Amino acid sequence: MARSPEPAATIEADAAPTGFRVTLDDFDGPFDLLLSLITKRELDITEVSLSVVTDEFLAYLRAMEQDGSIDALDQASEFLVVAVTLLDLKIASLLPQGELVDAEDVALLEARDLLFARLLQYRAFKEVSAWFSRRIDEESTRHTRSVRLEDQYRVQTPELVWTLSVDDFAALALLAFTPKEVPVVGLDHLHAPLVSIREQAAHVVAMLRQGEPVTFRQLIAGATEKGVIVARFLALLELYRHAAVGFEQLEPLGELTVRWTAENWTDENLVNLGADYGQ
Amino acid sequence: MASEMPALDLPRALEAILMVVDEPQSVVGLASAVERPVKEVQAAIAALVADYDGEARADGTPGVRRGFELREVGGGWRIYVRGEFDDIVRDFVHTQSPAKLSQAALETLAVIAYKQPISRGAIASIRAVNVDSVVRTLLGRGLITEAYTDSETGAIHYETTELLLTQLGINSLDELPKISPLLDDGRDGFDDVR
Amino acid sequence: MASEMPALDLPRALEAILMVVDEPQSVVGLASAVERPVKEVQAAIAALVADYDGEARADGTPGVRRGFELREVGGGWRIYVRGEFDDIVRDFVHTQSPAKLSQAALETLAVIAYKQPISRGAIASIRAVNVDSVVRTLLGRGLITEAYTDSETGAIHYETTELLLTQLGINSLDELPKISPLLDDGRDGFDDVR
């Protein structure tokens, strides 16, 4: 529950392995064991490529999907705990040192790690929203006693004390009709502009439809806003879901190459893209 | 007080009140209405629930499982038609079943439920989309409400309402499924992502 | 039909219906709802009356005299609070309905006055909050009434009553001060809000 902060350290004690295993250069085993080792400082967090873990987790999810076991929210959420803890650790250990030479690599790495975590968080809410939907549906068929108050009680309610003049009343109406808008003044500069996944998907599709495989790096070239990078990544995932693109990555942390694979693609597909994301 | 009113049959008085209410009634509210200690009222409610559920009485007499039941939903107690009779009563009640929430609205609702109180900006940063119209929809449906306005940023923070609990058929936010502690302390890592 | 549904527990089905209906129900109407002969329904109702009155069951088990009763009023059956609990229920209702309308109730009343007839959903979208309980209060106070039910959506539309005019000291709604232009075309702004 949102109000009962659970220290991430309890994960360590809970060694029940999730089904998700990772294979890295110097580690091969259950993902939460990986975390255990890191928290016990037996493995250097900076050595762990979260982007590889991301890819493996996505592959794992795909496998679960094919098994039809994607409902395993428990497993997914347990994984989330681990993954985000990992991310926190990694950020903490990366920031003060900053040893990596290639600034672009660092930026890409961080962006991808953040994407990874965002994706996981996104999935968690998406999955739990199914519970909301189911409960609301179930409860909407329930009937409660809600009948008019019997006249004898109604008559005996205390006399209404009315103090408003007709002009007061009109003023009140005016107040009631004034749309309740958030005071937007002075807030815009605090936030990056919102990014439309669909618009970014259009950009991605335009690049990919030229036929040549494109690297993810190329796809986000020139994008300065993290939000744009996030949106392009989510757009790619959405396109993948629609079997419109294929991915290729030869080695961990290697170049991610995206290939256009759609056979029947119309702009209508694009219109529906990202609908799940509310825009 | 109890000694002054020895005649008051507490379970009967409570069921009389429950006949006229149109909102869930908290135990505390009921206790003040009947002028009895909360503990007694709690016990009487438990007895009523068992009674309507048809459990045997203390003396072993078999009970009758009623066509209605007493449920604790949305922070209080209320009489409901027992689930298996919902189909039969449907024709008698012109419920305006509200339009279904969109997937986007459900997800936004989930974010607010787990991270409340939360500002629109913070929701948007999690959902990666503009959530203004969805938040308005949820406000209009009474599922969320304004909790407070941050005095510094002017950002309105939202929280869920008791109506949401009622519509979910639960009594408190604690009954939401656990999704993980990450949503508490994992936040910091995401704040800069928009 | 009865042979197809041997499992239907008639008294339980009837009490489920009687728990949610607002108006007294005729035996014929009830019989058609449960698809049983009128005679059976009559007998079941008589049994329910005795049951709620606490008469001993057929097997001699002593009954419980409920805080509510089943009464025939105006040619139909409805559940009412049992007379001896009137005082307690009245006290309860008293404390629940203060003499003054809340700000929320007044604003909602103003919305209805200027936009009538208007559905609850439309009010909610203008007020950006759930207005169910406020509408009930206004109905209970006799300041608004149900104008009609939209045959397509089933949405009840509300309008103000003469009592409101009296309270405001005006003779007709035409005497309400104009607050346009907000109102003339203001609706469009709310249409996307549900």
Side-chain angles (χ1 to χ4, degrees):
Chain A
M1 217 10 267
R3 295 198 184 120
S4 57
E6 294 257 333
T10 59
I11 312 300
E12 189 188 349
D14 179 10
T18 66
F20 174 53
R21 301 173 63 87
V22 280
T23 307
L24 305 172
D25 287 346
D26 43 12
F27 178 83
D28 182 6
F31 188 57
D32 49 358
L33 177 58
L34 177 69
L35 181 80
S36 284
L37 293 177
I38 292 166
T39 51
K40 287 175 193 153
R41 298 181 190 280
E42 286 169 25
L43 197 66
D44 183 356
I45 177 69
T46 57
E47 295 291 310
V48 175
S49 164
L50 285 189
S51 60
V52 173
V53 177
T54 305
D55 291 342
E56 294 207 1
F57 183 66
L58 289 176
Y60 172 68
L61 282 180
R62 279 197 289 273
M64 281 174 78
E65 246 155 6
Q66 274 155 16
D67 292 351
S69 60
I70 196 59
D71 287 338
L73 175 61
D74 286 350
Q75 197 173 352
S77 61
E78 193 174 339
F79 177 78
L80 282 170
V81 181
V82 178
V84 174
T85 312
L86 200 56
L87 180 71
D88 278 350
L89 287 169
K90 180 144 186 170
I91 289 171
S93 57
L94 275 180
L95 285 183
Q97 298 162 9
E99 289 169 354
L100 290 170
V101 188
D102 189 340
E104 198 185 345
D105 276 352
V106 175
L108 186 61
L109 188 69
E110 284 181 352
R112 293 199 55 176
D113 289 354
L114 286 167
L115 287 171
F116 170 61
R118 288 241 5 206
L119 182 69
L120 296 178
Q121 177 166 278
Y122 173 79
R123 285 195 72 99
F125 283 121
K126 196 180 181 71
E127 297 203 19
V128 82
S129 76
W131 181 87
F132 277 70
S133 178
R134 198 177 63 245
R135 289 303 302 239
I136 290 174
D137 277 358
E138 282 171 8
E139 207 58 28
S140 71
T141 66
R142 298 301 307 266
H143 296 94
T144 180
R145 179 171 172 92
S146 174
V147 302
R148 263 181 322 166
L149 199 55
E150 294 169 31
D151 287 342
Q152 55 159 336
Y153 302 124
R154 198 188 296 195
V155 172
Q156 287 162 354
T157 52
E159 186 89 5
L160 185 63
V161 176
W162 187 275
T163 54
L164 285 186
S165 73
V166 67
D167 289 325
D168 291 342
F169 190 69
L172 205 59
L174 202 56
L175 181 67
F177 281 111
T178 307
K180 281 195 194 167
E181 270 313 317
V182 191
V184 287
V185 185
L187 285 184
D188 289 352
H189 66 283
L190 295 176
H191 305 293
L194 289 164
V195 182
S196 156
I197 289 170
R198 200 173 307 136
E199 280 169 26
Q200 295 307 319
H203 172 85
V204 168
V205 168
M207 279 185 78
L208 287 170
R209 284 190 83 176
Q210 294 167 6
E212 293 296 311
V214 179
T215 66
F216 185 70
R217 200 187 294 266
Q218 286 171 318
L219 279 177
I220 60 168
T224 51
E225 296 287 342
K226 273 179 182 160
V228 172
I229 299 172
V230 170
R232 287 189 191 165
F233 183 72
L234 288 174
L236 269 184
L237 291 176
E238 281 288 292
L239 287 167
Y240 182 83
R241 216 172 80 179
H242 289 81
V245 298
F247 296 115
E248 203 171 83
Q249 191 174 32
L250 295 177
E251 51 176 345
L253 262 195
E255 202 78 78
L256 179 72
T257 308
V258 188
R259 192 183 300 275
W260 186 250
T261 59
E263 286 172 2
N264 306 305
W265 181 267
T266 67
D267 285 344
E268 249 172 62
N269 295 99
L270 195 57
V271 170
N272 294 322
L273 203 74
D276 287 352
Y277 298 81
Q279 189 172 333
Chain B
M1 197 65 188
S3 60
E4 291 170 38
M5 304 172 65
L8 180 71
D9 185 340
L10 191 50
R12 303 292 82 73
L14 291 176
E15 66 186 5
I17 290 174
L18 288 167
M19 284 302 122
V20 300
V21 300
D22 50 16
E23 274 171 3
Q25 296 298 313
S26 71
V27 172
V28 174
L30 289 169
S32 85
V34 295
E35 299 180 327
R36 287 293 185 90
V38 166
K39 278 218 157 167
E40 271 183 45
V41 172
Q42 255 159 351
I45 284 178
L48 274 181
V49 170
D51 177 1
Y52 297 163
D53 284 352
E55 288 176 24
R57 297 185 208 154
D59 61 5
T61 317
V64 173
R65 190 176 148 91
R66 298 285 164 189
F68 49 87
E69 63 181 334
L70 190 52
R71 288 176 76 202
E72 189 179 22
V73 165
W77 293 92
R78 219 177 157 187
I79 299 260
Y80 277 74
V81 168
R82 195 171 289 282
E84 57 241 52
F85 296 105
D86 275 327
D87 284 345
I88 285 184
V89 305
R90 190 178 303 136
D91 295 341
F92 284 89
V93 192
H94 43 253
T95 38
Q96 311 170 30
S97 60
K100 278 204 158 191
L101 290 174
S102 67
Q103 179 65 24
L106 281 169
E107 286 172 27
T108 303
L109 188 57
V111 170
I112 298 171
Y114 282 92
K115 313 253 315 176
Q116 59 188 299
I118 183 172
S119 70
R120 251 195 266 212
I123 303 166
S125 79
I126 291 170
R127 303 261 306 118
V129 291
N130 185 315
V131 294
D132 288 1
S133 80
V134 168
V135 165
R136 268 203 308 259
T137 301
L138 296 174
L139 279 169
R141 296 279 284 263
L143 297 170
I144 62 171
T145 185
E146 295 175 4
Y148 65 90
T149 302
D150 188 305
S151 58
E152 238 168 80
T153 65
I156 298 172
H157 285 64
Y158 299 93
E159 60 187 9
T160 57
T161 60
E162 304 222 319
L163 181 68
L164 173 67
L165 300 182
T166 306
Q167 298 213 344
L168 290 173
I170 61 177
N171 188 46
S172 95
L173 291 172
D174 295 337
E175 292 174 40
L176 289 177
K178 302 261 178 297
I179 62 174
S180 73
L182 98 98
L183 299 173
D184 298 317
D185 50 13
R187 279 220 59 197
D188 302 343
F190 313 124
D191 278 353
D192 56 339
V193 188
R194 279 294 132 84
Chain C
M1 196 63 192
S3 61
E4 290 171 38
M5 304 172 63
L8 181 72
D9 186 338
L10 190 52
R12 302 292 81 78
L14 289 175
E15 71 185 358
I17 293 170
L18 290 164
M19 264 306 151
V20 296
V21 295
D22 215 348
E23 303 295 330
Q25 298 296 312
S26 72
V27 173
V28 174
L30 290 169
S32 87
V34 294
E35 299 178 326
R36 286 293 183 88
V38 168
K39 280 220 154 171
E40 268 184 48
V41 171
Q42 254 159 353
I45 285 179
L48 275 181
V49 170
D51 178 0
Y52 297 164
D53 284 352
E55 288 176 22
R57 296 183 209 158
D59 61 6
T61 316
V64 173
R65 191 174 153 88
R66 297 286 163 188
F68 49 87
E69 62 182 341
L70 187 53
R71 282 208 326 250
E72 188 174 20
V73 170
W77 293 89
R78 186 183 188 269
I79 289 178
Y80 293 92
V81 171
R82 189 174 292 281
E84 57 235 55
F85 296 100
D86 273 354
D87 287 346
I88 236 170
V89 171
R90 189 175 313 125
D91 286 351
F92 175 78
V93 171
H94 253 258
T95 57
Q96 300 270 304
S97 45
K100 284 186 88 165
L101 289 177
S102 67
Q103 176 78 9
L106 285 170
E107 284 185 28
T108 302
L109 184 59
V111 168
I112 297 172
Y114 277 90
K115 304 282 278 186
Q116 59 188 303
I118 183 172
S119 72
R120 240 189 280 208
I123 305 167
S125 73
I126 292 172
R127 302 264 302 117
V129 290
N130 183 277
V131 294
D132 288 2
S133 79
V134 165
V135 166
R136 272 199 304 263
T137 302
L138 295 173
L139 279 169
R141 283 295 185 178
L143 292 165
I144 62 171
T145 184
E146 296 177 2
Y148 65 90
T149 303
D150 187 304
S151 57
E152 229 168 272
T153 64
I156 300 171
H157 286 64
Y158 299 92
E159 61 187 12
T160 56
T161 61
E162 299 269 317
L163 177 62
L164 176 66
L165 299 182
T166 311
Q167 299 283 14
L168 289 172
I170 56 179
N171 286 313
S172 92
L173 290 171
D174 298 337
E175 292 175 39
L176 281 178
K178 297 267 178 295
I179 60 165
S180 47
L182 248 183
L183 280 184
D184 296 339
D185 52 359
R187 281 235 55 192
D188 300 344
F190 308 121
D191 278 355
D192 55 336
V193 187
R194 247 178 309 126

mmCIF file of all heavy atoms in Angstrom, chain A residues 108-124:
data_model
loop_
_atom_site.group_PDB
_atom_site.id
_atom_site.type_symbol
_atom_site.label_atom_id
_atom_site.label_comp_id
_atom_site.label_asym_id
_atom_site.label_seq_id
_atom_site.Cartn_x
_atom_site.Cartn_y
_atom_site.Cartn_z
ATOM 1 N N LEU A 108 22.836 7.674 -23.175
ATOM 2 C CA LEU A 108 21.989 6.622 -23.737
ATOM 3 C C LEU A 108 21.668 5.582 -22.679
ATOM 4 O O LEU A 108 20.529 5.147 -22.540
ATOM 5 C CB LEU A 108 22.707 5.981 -24.922
ATOM 6 C CG LEU A 108 21.882 4.957 -25.696
ATOM 7 C CD1 LEU A 108 20.644 5.628 -26.269
ATOM 8 C CD2 LEU A 108 22.720 4.352 -26.816
ATOM 9 N N LEU A 109 22.732 5.230 -21.929
ATOM 10 C CA LEU A 109 22.548 4.235 -20.879
ATOM 11 C C LEU A 109 21.510 4.702 -19.863
ATOM 12 O O LEU A 109 20.581 3.987 -19.525
ATOM 13 C CB LEU A 109 23.891 3.988 -20.182
ATOM 14 C CG LEU A 109 23.923 2.829 -19.192
ATOM 15 C CD1 LEU A 109 23.809 1.509 -19.939
ATOM 16 C CD2 LEU A 109 25.222 2.864 -18.394
ATOM 17 N N GLU A 110 21.677 5.941 -19.419
ATOM 18 C CA GLU A 110 20.742 6.452 -18.416
ATOM 19 C C GLU A 110 19.337 6.519 -18.980
ATOM 20 O O GLU A 110 18.379 6.145 -18.329
ATOM 21 C CB GLU A 110 21.187 7.839 -17.948
ATOM 22 C CG GLU A 110 22.356 7.770 -16.993
ATOM 23 C CD GLU A 110 22.760 9.148 -16.520
ATOM 24 O OE1 GLU A 110 22.224 10.135 -17.061
ATOM 25 O OE2 GLU A 110 23.597 9.214 -15.620
ATOM 26 N N ALA A 111 19.246 6.994 -20.196
ATOM 27 C CA ALA A 111 17.928 7.092 -20.809
ATOM 28 C C ALA A 111 17.280 5.726 -20.879
ATOM 29 O O ALA A 111 16.101 5.562 -20.564
ATOM 30 C CB ALA A 111 18.046 7.696 -22.200
ATOM 31 N N ARG A 112 18.075 4.736 -21.249
ATOM 32 C CA ARG A 112 17.493 3.402 -21.389
ATOM 33 C C ARG A 112 17.131 2.814 -20.031
ATOM 34 O O ARG A 112 16.132 2.125 -19.889
ATOM 35 C CB ARG A 112 18.466 2.500 -22.135
ATOM 36 C CG ARG A 112 18.647 2.959 -23.583
ATOM 37 C CD ARG A 112 19.213 1.882 -24.421
ATOM 38 N NE ARG A 112 18.409 0.668 -24.344
ATOM 39 C CZ ARG A 112 18.664 -0.396 -25.052
ATOM 40 N NH1 ARG A 112 19.678 -0.435 -25.874
ATOM 41 N NH2 ARG A 112 17.912 -1.462 -24.942
ATOM 42 N N ASP A 113 17.971 3.065 -19.050
ATOM 43 C CA ASP A 113 17.640 2.565 -17.715
ATOM 44 C C ASP A 113 16.342 3.179 -17.222
ATOM 45 O O ASP A 113 15.486 2.511 -16.650
ATOM 46 C CB ASP A 113 18.766 2.886 -16.725
ATOM 47 C CG ASP A 113 19.999 2.029 -17.006
ATOM 48 O OD1 ASP A 113 19.896 1.148 -17.870
ATOM 49 O OD2 ASP A 113 21.032 2.264 -16.370
ATOM 50 N N LEU A 114 16.222 4.472 -17.474
ATOM 51 C CA LEU A 114 15.006 5.148 -17.029
ATOM 52 C C LEU A 114 13.796 4.618 -17.791
ATOM 53 O O LEU A 114 12.730 4.400 -17.236
ATOM 54 C CB LEU A 114 15.138 6.659 -17.238
ATOM 55 C CG LEU A 114 16.069 7.326 -16.226
ATOM 56 C CD1 LEU A 114 16.418 8.734 -16.665
ATOM 57 C CD2 LEU A 114 15.423 7.345 -14.837
ATOM 58 N N LEU A 115 14.012 4.404 -19.068
ATOM 59 C CA LEU A 115 12.931 3.846 -19.877
ATOM 60 C C LEU A 115 12.494 2.506 -19.326
ATOM 61 O O LEU A 115 11.309 2.207 -19.209
ATOM 62 C CB LEU A 115 13.415 3.640 -21.319
ATOM 63 C CG LEU A 115 13.591 4.901 -22.143
ATOM 64 C CD1 LEU A 115 14.266 4.558 -23.446
ATOM 65 C CD2 LEU A 115 12.229 5.527 -22.387
ATOM 66 N N PHE A 116 13.486 1.745 -18.999
ATOM 67 C CA PHE A 116 13.236 0.416 -18.462
ATOM 68 C C PHE A 116 12.362 0.491 -17.207
ATOM 69 O O PHE A 116 11.316 -0.150 -17.093
ATOM 70 C CB PHE A 116 14.587 -0.223 -18.152
ATOM 71 C CG PHE A 116 14.520 -1.498 -17.380
ATOM 72 C CD1 PHE A 116 13.855 -2.597 -17.895
ATOM 73 C CD2 PHE A 116 15.138 -1.610 -16.143
ATOM 74 C CE1 PHE A 116 13.800 -3.772 -17.187
ATOM 75 C CE2 PHE A 116 15.088 -2.786 -15.433
ATOM 76 C CZ PHE A 116 14.414 -3.876 -15.964
ATOM 77 N N ALA A 117 12.802 1.345 -16.302
ATOM 78 C CA ALA A 117 12.057 1.467 -15.057
ATOM 79 C C ALA A 117 10.654 2.017 -15.309
ATOM 80 O O ALA A 117 9.676 1.562 -14.722
ATOM 81 C CB ALA A 117 12.810 2.380 -14.092
ATOM 82 N N ARG A 118 10.590 2.976 -16.213
ATOM 83 C CA ARG A 118 9.288 3.557 -16.520
ATOM 84 C C ARG A 118 8.361 2.517 -17.116
ATOM 85 O O ARG A 118 7.181 2.457 -16.816
ATOM 86 C CB ARG A 118 9.456 4.695 -17.534
ATOM 87 C CG ARG A 118 10.090 5.888 -16.938
ATOM 88 C CD ARG A 118 9.212 7.076 -16.997
ATOM 89 N NE ARG A 118 7.880 6.821 -17.522
ATOM 90 C CZ ARG A 118 7.178 7.741 -18.084
ATOM 91 N NH1 ARG A 118 7.691 8.927 -18.250
ATOM 92 N NH2 ARG A 118 5.976 7.493 -18.492
ATOM 93 N N LEU A 119 8.944 1.738 -17.990
ATOM 94 C CA LEU A 119 8.154 0.704 -18.641
ATOM 95 C C LEU A 119 7.585 -0.259 -17.603
ATOM 96 O O LEU A 119 6.418 -0.643 -17.648
ATOM 97 C CB LEU A 119 9.033 -0.048 -19.638
ATOM 98 C CG LEU A 119 8.329 -1.130 -20.434
ATOM 99 C CD1 LEU A 119 7.343 -0.495 -21.403
ATOM 100 C CD2 LEU A 119 9.344 -1.967 -21.192
ATOM 101 N N LEU A 120 8.434 -0.610 -16.664
ATOM 102 C CA LEU A 120 7.993 -1.550 -15.636
ATOM 103 C C LEU A 120 6.891 -0.941 -14.776
ATOM 104 O O LEU A 120 5.878 -1.569 -14.481
ATOM 105 C CB LEU A 120 9.180 -1.946 -14.758
ATOM 106 C CG LEU A 120 10.276 -2.713 -15.498
ATOM 107 C CD1 LEU A 120 11.420 -3.017 -14.550
ATOM 108 C CD2 LEU A 120 9.716 -3.993 -16.074
ATOM 109 N N GLN A 121 7.102 0.312 -14.388
ATOM 110 C CA GLN A 121 6.089 0.971 -13.568
ATOM 111 C C GLN A 121 4.786 1.088 -14.344
ATOM 112 O O GLN A 121 3.710 0.843 -13.822
ATOM 113 C CB GLN A 121 6.591 2.361 -13.157
ATOM 114 C CG GLN A 121 5.554 3.122 -12.361
ATOM 115 C CD GLN A 121 6.146 4.335 -11.670
ATOM 116 O OE1 GLN A 121 6.728 4.242 -10.611
ATOM 117 N NE2 GLN A 121 5.995 5.483 -12.269
ATOM 118 N N TYR A 122 4.960 1.425 -15.607
ATOM 119 C CA TYR A 122 3.790 1.545 -16.457
ATOM 120 C C TYR A 122 3.018 0.231 -16.503
ATOM 121 O O TYR A 122 1.801 0.192 -16.352
ATOM 122 C CB TYR A 122 4.224 1.953 -17.865
ATOM 123 C CG TYR A 122 3.081 1.935 -18.819
ATOM 124 C CD1 TYR A 122 2.175 2.988 -18.834
ATOM 125 C CD2 TYR A 122 2.874 0.847 -19.658
ATOM 126 C CE1 TYR A 122 1.096 2.960 -19.681
ATOM 127 C CE2 TYR A 122 1.801 0.816 -20.501
ATOM 128 C CZ TYR A 122 0.906 1.868 -20.514
ATOM 129 O OH TYR A 122 -0.171 1.834 -21.336
ATOM 130 N N ARG A 123 3.770 -0.849 -16.688
ATOM 131 C CA ARG A 123 3.112 -2.153 -16.757
ATOM 132 C C ARG A 123 2.384 -2.476 -15.458
ATOM 133 O O ARG A 123 1.311 -3.057 -15.456
ATOM 134 C CB ARG A 123 4.141 -3.251 -17.047
ATOM 135 C CG ARG A 123 4.616 -3.281 -18.457
ATOM 136 C CD ARG A 123 5.331 -4.593 -18.712
ATOM 137 N NE ARG A 123 4.370 -5.692 -18.758
ATOM 138 C CZ ARG A 123 3.917 -6.195 -19.882
ATOM 139 N NH1 ARG A 123 4.328 -5.732 -21.029
ATOM 140 N NH2 ARG A 123 3.061 -7.192 -19.867
ATOM 141 N N ALA A 124 3.001 -2.107 -14.341
ATOM 142 C CA ALA A 124 2.387 -2.417 -13.044
ATOM 143 C C ALA A 124 1.025 -1.751 -12.940
ATOM 144 O O ALA A 124 0.031 -2.381 -12.564
ATOM 145 C CB ALA A 124 3.293 -1.948 -11.911
#
